[in-house]
Amino acid sequence: MSIQIPRGTQDILPEQSKQWQYIEQFSRNMCGAYQYHEIRTPIFEHTELFSRGVGDTTDIVQKEMYTFEDRGGRSLTLRPEGTAAVVRAFVEKKLYGLPDQPTKLYYTGPMFRYERQQKGRYRQFVQFGVEALGSQDPAIDAEVISLAMNTFKGLGLQELVLKINSLGDTESRLAHRQALINHFQPHIHEFCEDCKGRLEKNPLRILDCKVDHKHPLMQTAPSILDYLNEESKRYFEKVLGYLDVLGIEYEVDSTLVRGLDYYNHTAFEIMSKARGFGSITTLCGGGRYNGLVEDLGGPETPGIGYAFSIERILLALEAEKQTLPVMQKMDAYIIALGEEATEKAVKILQTMRLAGISCDKDYQQKKMKAQFKQADRLQATFVIVIGEEELQKEKAVVKKLATGEQTEVAFADLLSYMKQAKEEKE
Ligand code: AMP
């Protein structure tokens, strides 16, 4: 039997790859405009980073990590998310000491979680994430959210819903925590084993349970918004105020708690309401994590960020029937007839390629007609024909496929002709 791709992973074939590249490039450009800069961290980290940074009580750490021992006996884990590693690097490389703060970063790359495979949920997926470290200004919460929204809108998504909540500061969270314990404790025997464990460790996570989400006590659970102290309330109102200024619509959703332990104050998700998107509608999740830098050994530093996966963006685009303006890239296809013409073609190809003109030729000894057909299929703008006659005249026949227009261009002028044609097209 032939070997098959591991469950929960995907091959991205060249046609799809173009879409991936487009989304990645678009997102990078948007980050550039907002002055966020790329950071690249390793694919694997010490396991402890995630158990501390993501949190021992989370599903990710408890059930989903790809953890292995290396040959030196160290426990390493394929990264399940990006924030912990970015914060590790921020602390380790002392980025907090740089004169320009906040430190505005973005990253992209594969993440790994041992999850049950379904549409929109993979075991290897590519996240694009943003982190702003070193500012506790509600305007930066709004900036981060607007960066996500504008990235999605710029990619053509329209049916978006921004859900936002505040988890408050430590004092508010503690008050809410106690209220949750009081609420769930008398009935905790009706909940799943995980929730029983969460009751004392992190009762907020009960609200996020995938097993018990229909239990009646979930609907009546105390809302964090009723437990926000004055400062937390004010902070939240300011964030919402900036969103209003930016014209970004939102829904306050007091049940929104993020799966990771380190969030406080602002928590948000961007969902797709497109029909046909499927049961998983979250495109992007993020929020504020003011204790994380300290937890990972750095100075007290506030942070906020989000991540989305390219996979879910593609699903949302498909559900909205949006296509990306992926450019066809072939400028010219050269048809050479005979040995000598082929040598000429090989040389011309190199000259043009080095000048940024994308071009190709046949490598399968196809007949001329088949080569024209191939050029058509590849959507080449021009076909350049070089035969014996052309060699003698030192000219090539250049045919524009869209119109059938045909001209002779001297070999010496071919490059500038193609360059000009490309410029006009763009
Ligand atoms: P999280 O780190 O769980 O808050 O996820 C942030 C975002 O990453 C989600 O909103 C999704 O866009 C994406 N994501 C998380 N898990 C997966 C997965 N298993 N497959 C594809 N995308 C995912």
Side-chain angles (χ1 to χ4, degrees), residues 60 81 113 115 120-123 125 127 258 260 282-285 307-309 311-312:
I60 292 183
E81 57 95 58
R113 294 184 196 174
E115 297 206 75
R121 186 164 277 150
Y122 304 92
R123 290 184 176 171
F125 55 98
Q127 273 188 343
R258 306 269 309 125
L260 316 185
T282 308
L283 299 181
C284 172
F308 62 82
S309 70
E311 287 84 351
R312 294 226 183 136

mmCIF file of all heavy atoms in Angstrom, residues 60 81 113 115 120-123 125 127 258 260 282-285 307-309 311-312, ligand 1:
data_model
loop_
_atom_site.group_PDB
_atom_site.id
_atom_site.type_symbol
_atom_site.label_atom_id
_atom_site.label_comp_id
_atom_site.label_asym_id
_atom_site.label_seq_id
_atom_site.Cartn_x
_atom_site.Cartn_y
_atom_site.Cartn_z
ATOM 1 N N ILE A 60 -5.285 22.579 25.088
ATOM 2 C CA ILE A 60 -4.067 22.509 24.275
ATOM 3 C C ILE A 60 -2.974 21.748 25.017
ATOM 4 O O ILE A 60 -2.397 20.793 24.507
ATOM 5 C CB ILE A 60 -3.567 23.928 23.906
ATOM 6 C CG1 ILE A 60 -4.547 24.598 22.947
ATOM 7 C CG2 ILE A 60 -2.163 23.888 23.312
ATOM 8 C CD1 ILE A 60 -4.126 25.966 22.465
ATOM 9 N N GLU A 81 0.840 27.105 19.243
ATOM 10 C CA GLU A 81 0.388 28.482 19.037
ATOM 11 C C GLU A 81 1.630 29.374 19.067
ATOM 12 O O GLU A 81 2.735 28.893 19.351
ATOM 13 C CB GLU A 81 -0.629 28.889 20.104
ATOM 14 C CG GLU A 81 -0.144 28.766 21.536
ATOM 15 C CD GLU A 81 0.397 30.056 22.072
ATOM 16 O OE1 GLU A 81 -0.335 31.045 22.091
ATOM 17 O OE2 GLU A 81 1.585 30.075 22.485
ATOM 18 N N ARG A 113 -1.507 20.852 16.589
ATOM 19 C CA ARG A 113 -2.361 20.445 17.717
ATOM 20 C C ARG A 113 -2.985 19.103 17.368
ATOM 21 O O ARG A 113 -3.511 18.937 16.269
ATOM 22 C CB ARG A 113 -3.494 21.459 17.959
ATOM 23 C CG ARG A 113 -2.990 22.805 18.414
ATOM 24 C CD ARG A 113 -4.136 23.754 18.728
ATOM 25 N NE ARG A 113 -3.623 25.117 18.794
ATOM 26 C CZ ARG A 113 -4.366 26.198 18.939
ATOM 27 N NH1 ARG A 113 -5.680 26.079 19.056
ATOM 28 N NH2 ARG A 113 -3.823 27.401 18.983
ATOM 29 N N GLU A 115 -5.778 17.480 17.343
ATOM 30 C CA GLU A 115 -7.219 17.714 17.490
ATOM 31 C C GLU A 115 -7.969 16.709 16.648
ATOM 32 O O GLU A 115 -7.417 16.097 15.740
ATOM 33 C CB GLU A 115 -7.569 19.109 16.959
ATOM 34 C CG GLU A 115 -6.903 20.213 17.726
ATOM 35 C CD GLU A 115 -7.685 21.507 17.659
ATOM 36 O OE1 GLU A 115 -8.713 21.592 18.338
ATOM 37 O OE2 GLU A 115 -7.255 22.432 16.945
ATOM 38 N N GLY A 120 -12.007 22.820 8.803
ATOM 39 C CA GLY A 120 -11.556 24.004 9.535
ATOM 40 C C GLY A 120 -10.740 23.696 10.775
ATOM 41 O O GLY A 120 -10.328 24.597 11.492
ATOM 42 N N ARG A 121 -10.536 22.406 11.038
ATOM 43 C CA ARG A 121 -9.712 22.060 12.202
ATOM 44 C C ARG A 121 -8.698 21.005 11.775
ATOM 45 O O ARG A 121 -9.066 19.898 11.414
ATOM 46 C CB ARG A 121 -10.610 21.559 13.329
ATOM 47 C CG ARG A 121 -9.849 21.328 14.614
ATOM 48 C CD ARG A 121 -10.765 21.218 15.810
ATOM 49 N NE ARG A 121 -11.123 22.535 16.319
ATOM 50 C CZ ARG A 121 -12.259 22.819 16.926
ATOM 51 N NH1 ARG A 121 -13.164 21.894 17.078
ATOM 52 N NH2 ARG A 121 -12.501 24.028 17.378
ATOM 53 N N TYR A 122 -7.461 21.393 11.789
ATOM 54 C CA TYR A 122 -6.396 20.509 11.313
ATOM 55 C C TYR A 122 -5.394 20.256 12.424
ATOM 56 O O TYR A 122 -5.389 20.939 13.436
ATOM 57 C CB TYR A 122 -5.691 21.151 10.102
ATOM 58 C CG TYR A 122 -6.646 21.475 8.992
ATOM 59 C CD1 TYR A 122 -7.236 22.729 8.909
ATOM 60 C CD2 TYR A 122 -7.003 20.514 8.059
ATOM 61 C CE1 TYR A 122 -8.154 23.024 7.910
ATOM 62 C CE2 TYR A 122 -7.909 20.793 7.056
ATOM 63 C CZ TYR A 122 -8.485 22.044 6.990
ATOM 64 O OH TYR A 122 -9.397 22.324 6.003
ATOM 65 N N ARG A 123 -4.540 19.286 12.183
ATOM 66 C CA ARG A 123 -3.488 19.012 13.174
ATOM 67 C C ARG A 123 -2.243 19.829 12.876
ATOM 68 O O ARG A 123 -1.460 20.124 13.761
ATOM 69 C CB ARG A 123 -3.193 17.517 13.191
ATOM 70 C CG ARG A 123 -4.368 16.784 13.799
ATOM 71 C CD ARG A 123 -4.153 15.316 13.966
ATOM 72 N NE ARG A 123 -5.320 14.762 14.645
ATOM 73 C CZ ARG A 123 -5.552 13.484 14.801
ATOM 74 N NH1 ARG A 123 -4.686 12.596 14.335
ATOM 75 N NH2 ARG A 123 -6.626 13.074 15.425
ATOM 76 N N PHE A 125 -1.657 23.482 10.990
ATOM 77 C CA PHE A 125 -2.321 24.603 10.325
ATOM 78 C C PHE A 125 -1.393 25.806 10.411
ATOM 79 O O PHE A 125 -0.492 25.849 11.245
ATOM 80 C CB PHE A 125 -3.688 24.881 10.959
ATOM 81 C CG PHE A 125 -3.633 25.108 12.449
ATOM 82 C CD1 PHE A 125 -3.618 26.387 12.977
ATOM 83 C CD2 PHE A 125 -3.580 24.027 13.326
ATOM 84 C CE1 PHE A 125 -3.557 26.599 14.353
ATOM 85 C CE2 PHE A 125 -3.515 24.230 14.704
ATOM 86 C CZ PHE A 125 -3.508 25.511 15.213
ATOM 87 N N GLN A 127 -0.824 29.610 11.163
ATOM 88 C CA GLN A 127 -1.363 30.815 11.799
ATOM 89 C C GLN A 127 -0.602 32.043 11.350
ATOM 90 O O GLN A 127 0.608 31.993 11.095
ATOM 91 C CB GLN A 127 -1.254 30.719 13.327
ATOM 92 C CG GLN A 127 -2.440 30.036 13.976
ATOM 93 C CD GLN A 127 -2.411 30.134 15.492
ATOM 94 O OE1 GLN A 127 -1.389 30.436 16.095
ATOM 95 N NE2 GLN A 127 -3.542 29.867 16.124
ATOM 96 N N ARG A 258 -11.545 33.133 26.291
ATOM 97 C CA ARG A 258 -10.600 32.524 25.372
ATOM 98 C C ARG A 258 -10.059 31.245 25.996
ATOM 99 O O ARG A 258 -9.973 31.117 27.209
ATOM 100 C CB ARG A 258 -9.487 33.513 25.050
ATOM 101 C CG ARG A 258 -10.026 34.838 24.537
ATOM 102 C CD ARG A 258 -10.147 34.867 23.038
ATOM 103 N NE ARG A 258 -8.908 34.444 22.432
ATOM 104 C CZ ARG A 258 -8.818 33.455 21.558
ATOM 105 N NH1 ARG A 258 -9.884 32.808 21.178
ATOM 106 N NH2 ARG A 258 -7.656 33.133 21.056
ATOM 107 N N LEU A 260 -7.173 30.080 26.290
ATOM 108 C CA LEU A 260 -5.866 30.099 26.950
ATOM 109 C C LEU A 260 -5.955 30.820 28.296
ATOM 110 O O LEU A 260 -6.786 31.703 28.489
ATOM 111 C CB LEU A 260 -4.833 30.791 26.050
ATOM 112 C CG LEU A 260 -4.891 30.389 24.576
ATOM 113 C CD1 LEU A 260 -3.758 31.040 23.794
ATOM 114 C CD2 LEU A 260 -4.823 28.884 24.411
ATOM 115 N N THR A 282 -15.210 30.595 13.871
ATOM 116 C CA THR A 282 -14.213 31.556 14.347
ATOM 117 C C THR A 282 -13.044 31.647 13.382
ATOM 118 O O THR A 282 -12.417 30.648 13.039
ATOM 119 C CB THR A 282 -13.692 31.156 15.741
ATOM 120 O OG1 THR A 282 -14.819 30.953 16.579
ATOM 121 C CG2 THR A 282 -12.811 32.237 16.327
ATOM 122 N N LEU A 283 -12.793 32.864 12.941
ATOM 123 C CA LEU A 283 -11.666 33.074 12.020
ATOM 124 C C LEU A 283 -10.433 33.504 12.775
ATOM 125 O O LEU A 283 -9.310 33.267 12.354
ATOM 126 C CB LEU A 283 -12.005 34.185 11.018
ATOM 127 C CG LEU A 283 -13.206 33.957 10.115
ATOM 128 C CD1 LEU A 283 -13.379 35.148 9.187
ATOM 129 C CD2 LEU A 283 -12.998 32.689 9.318
ATOM 130 N N CYS A 284 -10.665 34.210 13.872
ATOM 131 C CA CYS A 284 -9.542 34.860 14.539
ATOM 132 C C CYS A 284 -9.857 35.013 16.011
ATOM 133 O O CYS A 284 -10.983 35.344 16.372
ATOM 134 C CB CYS A 284 -9.367 36.238 13.904
ATOM 135 S SG CYS A 284 -8.183 37.301 14.723
ATOM 136 N N GLY A 285 -8.887 34.746 16.851
ATOM 137 C CA GLY A 285 -9.094 34.938 18.279
ATOM 138 C C GLY A 285 -7.938 35.711 18.871
ATOM 139 O O GLY A 285 -6.792 35.545 18.448
ATOM 140 N N ALA A 307 -4.474 35.737 16.632
ATOM 141 C CA ALA A 307 -3.999 34.846 15.567
ATOM 142 C C ALA A 307 -5.190 34.352 14.760
ATOM 143 O O ALA A 307 -6.284 34.187 15.293
ATOM 144 C CB ALA A 307 -3.245 33.657 16.157
ATOM 145 N N PHE A 308 -4.942 34.186 13.468
ATOM 146 C CA PHE A 308 -5.946 33.522 12.637
ATOM 147 C C PHE A 308 -5.227 32.487 11.807
ATOM 148 O O PHE A 308 -4.000 32.542 11.664
ATOM 149 C CB PHE A 308 -6.694 34.527 11.747
ATOM 150 C CG PHE A 308 -5.841 35.280 10.757
ATOM 151 C CD1 PHE A 308 -5.490 34.719 9.532
ATOM 152 C CD2 PHE A 308 -5.394 36.570 11.048
ATOM 153 C CE1 PHE A 308 -4.716 35.412 8.618
ATOM 154 C CE2 PHE A 308 -4.605 37.272 10.137
ATOM 155 C CZ PHE A 308 -4.271 36.687 8.912
ATOM 156 N N SER A 309 -5.979 31.533 11.275
ATOM 157 C CA SER A 309 -5.304 30.572 10.403
ATOM 158 C C SER A 309 -5.683 30.824 8.953
ATOM 159 O O SER A 309 -6.804 31.241 8.660
ATOM 160 C CB SER A 309 -5.614 29.127 10.801
ATOM 161 O OG SER A 309 -6.951 28.800 10.509
ATOM 162 N N GLU A 311 -6.066 28.620 6.789
ATOM 163 C CA GLU A 311 -7.065 27.619 6.404
ATOM 164 C C GLU A 311 -8.480 28.160 6.572
ATOM 165 O O GLU A 311 -9.321 27.996 5.682
ATOM 166 C CB GLU A 311 -6.918 26.359 7.273
ATOM 167 C CG GLU A 311 -5.711 25.494 6.967
ATOM 168 C CD GLU A 311 -4.435 25.972 7.655
ATOM 169 O OE1 GLU A 311 -4.422 27.078 8.235
ATOM 170 O OE2 GLU A 311 -3.436 25.239 7.598
ATOM 171 N N ARG A 312 -8.718 28.813 7.702
ATOM 172 C CA ARG A 312 -10.089 29.302 7.949
ATOM 173 C C ARG A 312 -10.412 30.492 7.057
ATOM 174 O O ARG A 312 -11.557 30.686 6.676
ATOM 175 C CB ARG A 312 -10.254 29.675 9.423
ATOM 176 C CG ARG A 312 -10.137 28.445 10.286
ATOM 177 C CD ARG A 312 -11.182 28.321 11.344
ATOM 178 N NE ARG A 312 -10.868 27.126 12.110
ATOM 179 C CZ ARG A 312 -10.904 27.043 13.425
ATOM 180 N NH1 ARG A 312 -11.283 28.091 14.131
ATOM 181 N NH2 ARG A 312 -10.588 25.922 14.027
HETATM 182 P P1 AMP B 1 -6.515 29.839 19.204
HETATM 183 O O1 AMP B 1 -5.026 29.910 19.293
HETATM 184 O O2 AMP B 1 -7.078 28.490 19.571
HETATM 185 O O3 AMP B 1 -7.194 30.970 19.869
HETATM 186 O O4 AMP B 1 -6.863 29.978 17.660
HETATM 187 C C1 AMP B 1 -6.708 31.172 16.965
HETATM 188 C C2 AMP B 1 -7.128 30.943 15.530
HETATM 189 O O5 AMP B 1 -6.294 29.936 14.951
HETATM 190 C C3 AMP B 1 -8.531 30.419 15.347
HETATM 191 O O6 AMP B 1 -9.463 31.466 15.318
HETATM 192 C C4 AMP B 1 -8.422 29.744 14.002
HETATM 193 O O7 AMP B 1 -8.447 30.696 12.942
HETATM 194 C C5 AMP B 1 -7.033 29.160 14.042
HETATM 195 N N1 AMP B 1 -7.023 27.746 14.472
HETATM 196 C C6 AMP B 1 -6.929 27.255 15.729
HETATM 197 N N2 AMP B 1 -6.889 25.918 15.736
HETATM 198 C C7 AMP B 1 -6.958 25.538 14.447
HETATM 199 C C8 AMP B 1 -6.941 24.270 13.791
HETATM 200 N N3 AMP B 1 -6.842 23.142 14.464
HETATM 201 N N4 AMP B 1 -7.023 24.247 12.422
HETATM 202 C C9 AMP B 1 -7.113 25.397 11.730
HETATM 203 N N5 AMP B 1 -7.122 26.605 12.295
HETATM 204 C C10 AMP B 1 -7.049 26.698 13.641
#
